[in-house]
Amino acid sequence: MKLINDIPDRFWGLFRSVNRSAYIEALLKINEEYEYSNYFLSQEMCIQILADYFAKRNCVIWRDEMEEEKDTMDPPATRVLNWLVKAGWLRKVDDYASMTVNIVIPDYAAVMIEAFFKLTSEEEDETQIYIQNVYAILFSLKNDPRAGAGLLHTALVNTRKLNKTLQDMLHNMDKFFASLLEQKSYGDLLRDHLEGYVEEIVKKKYHILKTSDNFYLYKNDIKTWISAMREDERWLLEICRKSKDSITVEEVEEKLDQIERGFDYIEHRIANLDREHSRYIRATVTRMNYLLNQEDNMKGLVIQLLNRLSKEDDPEEMLKEVGERMNLSQMTILSEKSLYKRKRPRVKFSENLGAEAEEEELSGQDILNLNKLKARYSKGEIEEFIGTRMMNGRMEVTENTVTNDEEFDKLILAYDYSTRRKSLYQVENQDARLIDNGTYRYPALVFVRRNT
């Protein structure tokens, strides 16, 4: 049976009452004692609890539309309790054995009181609770032989609640963007950011998605278990057999697919939260820079001028006065770093295509100049390189002649040196074969002493 059918019409009068806040506070105090009571709360105990609470708050109770004039003569605690009973938020239960009247909270009222508690208290870490519930349920389904299909439905409900909680976090980000524009000074903006966004969002909500004990700590195991359950036909048949309600294998697989899709949606929402978080940080920094420099920066002054012009009933007259005092067309305003940025003409892609210039082949002298080898070794070092390797008046270049970069550079310079008229050595065979020793490639030259 749906609880909404049990709610009396006068129940909704609380939301129209002038004493609405007092009634809600009274319900929360009674519910606080109700949760820790071993049995019932008597009417006298409820009146005493409310009397102590209202004495500390100095509450004033105005006459309500459902109250009679004689009811206003009672103390505030008695008036409030009687009104809540009359409106259906509380119910009296007579205990004839002990000759007392007990106060109970109906089921439908308990749902509303729980909502009041969430609205008036700091939000709990619900995302962490839901993800841990799903993790524990799937672990039990996989390892506990007594687990049934009912736990699978509970895991699906927790997955949906986790998605809903993340979606609410995402949709409530807009109020922080709106508060950025409401702050008119740097100090107020910084206080709003640190005490509002950092305390309420980063420390209480956003950090649980990014710390070591986060969503991704459980996600991989949960997806692995779902995949294993889906492929285990024996487990599927056993779950269906133990279920009290008739359930098919296809229905169990559908619930597993819904849980898996739910975790995919969670990842998308976390990615959206990351994007909104980055947007808010950038917007906050931009707003701080603007508030710091709005009176010293040309852009900030122009923005103030435009805001002032937009509020005037006759902006033409004020614009004329501004034009008499300052030149709005000067380059300090209409420049690339200011509010207005001129667009560059578009150039067709085909116009940028042209014939590629052919690269000229480099000569030996160009290569030497490019590598800057000439200044590295002296003429005497080159002659020594050739002379120490000569046998019977000949230096034959072999695979063992060059073993490092220094010898390779000296071989290049030795050949360049041999082409000069005043050099001590010359190359005997110009068209030599190429030698490849695995690291370097060079011609098999033969150097001999020049006859001069």
Side-chain angles (χ1 to χ4, degrees), residues 365 368-369 371-378 413 416 420:
Q365 187 65 31
L368 292 174
N369 292 333
N371 292 327
K372 296 181 181 179
L373 297 178
K374 285 187 173 182
R376 192 178 300 176
Y377 304 103
S378 65
L413 292 175
D416 177 67
R420 302 172 186 245

Side-chain angles (χ1 to χ4, degrees), residues 238-294:
E238 186 67 18
I239 285 291
C240 296
R241 186 185 64 80
K242 291 187 296 185
S243 177
K244 296 180 180 179
D245 302 328
S246 58
I247 186 170
T248 63
V249 173
E250 289 75 14
E251 291 175 342
V252 173
E253 291 178 340
E254 177 62 25
K255 288 185 181 296
L256 291 173
D257 292 340
Q258 290 177 357
I259 295 174
E260 189 173 27
R261 285 198 301 271
F263 274 80
D264 292 336
Y265 297 152
I266 290 170
E267 288 192 79
H268 294 322
R269 286 182 169 87
I270 291 176
N272 291 334
L273 279 172
D274 286 341
R275 186 173 62 252
E276 291 298 314
H277 174 71
S278 300
R279 282 185 56 212
Y280 174 80
I281 296 300
R282 288 197 301 269
T284 302
V285 173
T286 302
R287 181 66 176 171
M288 286 180 175
N289 289 333
Y290 169 71
L291 293 176
L292 281 175
N293 304 319
Q294 59 180 337

Side-chain angles (χ1 to χ4, degrees), residues 173 176 192-193 195-202 277 280-281:
M173 285 288 292
F176 294 99
D192 180 72
H193 173 72
E195 298 179 0
Y197 185 78
V198 174
E199 291 292 333
E200 298 297 326
I201 297 297
V202 176
H277 174 71
Y280 174 80
I281 296 300

